[in-house]
Amino acid sequence: MRKTIIAGNWKMYKTLKDGQELAVALRRDLYKIENTDIVICPPFTLLGFLADALESSNIAVGAQDLYWQEEGAFTGEVSPAMIKDAGCLYVIIGHSERRQFFDETNETVNKKIKAALKCGLIPIVCVGENLQEREADKTFKVIEEHINKGLADISASDMSKIIVAYEPVWAIGTGKTATPEQAQEVHKFIRGLLSKIYGQEAAEGIRIQYGGSVKPENITELMNKPDVDGALVGGASLKAESFAAIVTKASEVTK
Ligand code: 13P
């Protein structure tokens, strides 16, 4: 049995005051949930404050990116140790917005995953095709490259700590969710790829989240699919009401 994991990616939203209010509201609304890992990923400026606000709660904090070097003259970058030191347990790596706007490649994703693991952070590794690639029937090819190159030289024991997030780019922020069947098809494909590399037993233990226009209205049917183990939520994670509803509904799905 894989434990459900729901993460909120706040992207470049929320000042300190708004972020604190949201964290306090989530703590209040979700304190009873035990069977689901809950994560929020605010911008860097809020990490330390929100890790403090959520201390000894059931909500963990994650960063949205990191740099792979330990320290040095890398203006504007944040190291794995700094993220850990701010109180984070997770870090999102390879989000499609980083691939699209900030030159993230499968090679930099691979370096970042290794740096995160070395520091004891849990990587949430994003993979997914864009609309053009889906329409050209290249979805599986793109995913295969993201997995094979992004996870190159990662050992089976390290892989057991990693979360994979399937985020079809065409479903992000568009209100156009992949159907549960489309999500399941790709999740199953990803698990098959992981099984080829790490063996079936290891692959069965790896959690794969779906991301892209997840809302309280569609979480249950997505979670009902056998290979969907959670969600990476963007827009709907910015309000306590919708994020708490998503977490609560996901926690109620038994497989
Ligand atoms: P939306 O939920 O806003 O579509 O964003 C998904 C996402 O990119 C999460 O990382």
Side-chain angles (χ1 to χ4, degrees), residues 82-123:
M82 291 168 183
I83 289 167
K84 194 87 201 284
D85 185 51
C88 291
L89 183 56
Y90 293 85
V91 59
I92 297 171
I93 296 175
H95 192 278
S96 62
E97 285 148 20
R98 302 246 26 117
R99 293 180 192 257
Q100 193 180 346
F101 304 125
F102 303 99
D103 295 331
E104 189 87 89
T105 63
N106 292 323
E107 289 68 32
T108 59
V109 165
N110 185 250
K111 287 184 188 181
K112 289 179 178 185
I113 295 172
K114 288 174 182 164
L117 289 166
K118 198 170 160 198
C119 209
L121 290 164
I122 301 173

Side-chain angles (χ1 to χ4, degrees), residues 7-9 11 92 95-97 126 167 171-175 211-214 232-237:
N9 175 8
K11 306 192 180 183
I92 297 171
H95 192 278
S96 62
E97 285 148 20
C126 301
E167 297 208 312
I172 295 178
T174 57
S213 298
V214 173
L232 183 53
V233 186
S237 73

